[in-house]
Each structure stands twice: as structure tokens, then as C-alpha cells.
Amino acid sequence: MPFENKDLICRDCHKTFVFSAGEQEFFNAKGLINEPKRCANCRILMRVQRNGEDPKQTAEVNCAECGASTRVPFQPKGYRPVYCSSCFRVKKVALDINAAGKESQIAIM
């Protein structure tokens, strides 16, 4: 069954967010039935509060890749790029593929 991006409304901030096809595939693979109720920013805030940490430790920043506004669970220092969850996931997959390619080259030598 092909998944398509869905627009959902966050229960906390009432803003629309995208439940991407990739996220839907992940939910399906993990056996999760319910769609997310909160946007990524509100999920981070809830996680921080649930862990007993100060929500002021989070920061709202613009993604270095796509420019979208996102919340991160730390205060950026400014010398490294900060990505939204979607761009971070894409970068991580690219790094993992690149690292796997280097490992196979080392094994061949």
C-alpha cells in the first residue's frame, strides 16, 4: 500500500503539520496504528517536560537546509548547522550510506 503525505493538525499548537509518507512507513513497520497528535516541535517540548527538564533549554531555530522553523532540545552554539527532523533524517541516511561505502572499500583493500 503506497503512503501519501497527510496534513494533520497539532493538538497543542493547532498548527498544520505534514505526516510524511516516510513517517507513515516507519509507523507501519513498527506496528503503530495511531497517527501522531502533535507536531515535531510540540513533541520535543512534551518530551523535555516529561523528562523533568526545563523547556527553556530548547530553542526554536530555522533549518540550515530548508529554512523551516523547528524546535531542538538544546541551545545551538552557532558554529554547526541545525536541521529540522526531515532534513536531519535525509542527512543521516546519506552519511550512513557513505560510511557503508567506505567500510566496503576498506574491506576490499
Side-chain angles (χ1 to χ4, degrees), residues 22-72:
E23 290 171 327
Q24 292 175 50
E25 288 176 21
F26 175 81
F27 272 54
N28 190 36
K30 296 292 182 181
L32 302 172
I33 299 168
N34 299 325
E35 295 177 340
K37 303 289 186 224
R38 294 180 174 92
C39 65
N41 290 344
C42 291
R43 284 195 304 262
I44 289 173
L45 279 175
M46 286 301 296
R47 189 178 314 130
V48 166
Q49 290 172 345
R50 188 174 50 239
N51 291 339
E53 299 171 9
D54 185 8
K56 292 178 186 171
Q57 291 178 341
T58 65
E60 185 135 354
V61 296
N62 291 330
C63 174
E65 186 74 20
C66 69
S69 177
T70 189
R71 184 170 294 279
V72 292

Side-chain angles (χ1 to χ4, degrees), residues 87-102:
C87 293
F88 181 77
R89 206 173 307 122
V90 169
K91 293 273 187 192
K92 185 173 182 341
V93 168
L95 286 173
D96 290 346
I97 290 171
N98 192 13
K102 287 181 181 179

Side-chain angles (χ1 to χ4, degrees), residues 7-26:
D7 288 335
L8 302 176
I9 298 176
C10 178
R11 74 187 310 179
D12 292 346
C13 69
H14 306 291
K15 292 181 182 176
T16 302
F17 67 97
V18 176
F19 184 34
S20 72
E23 290 171 327
Q24 292 175 50
E25 288 176 21
F26 175 81

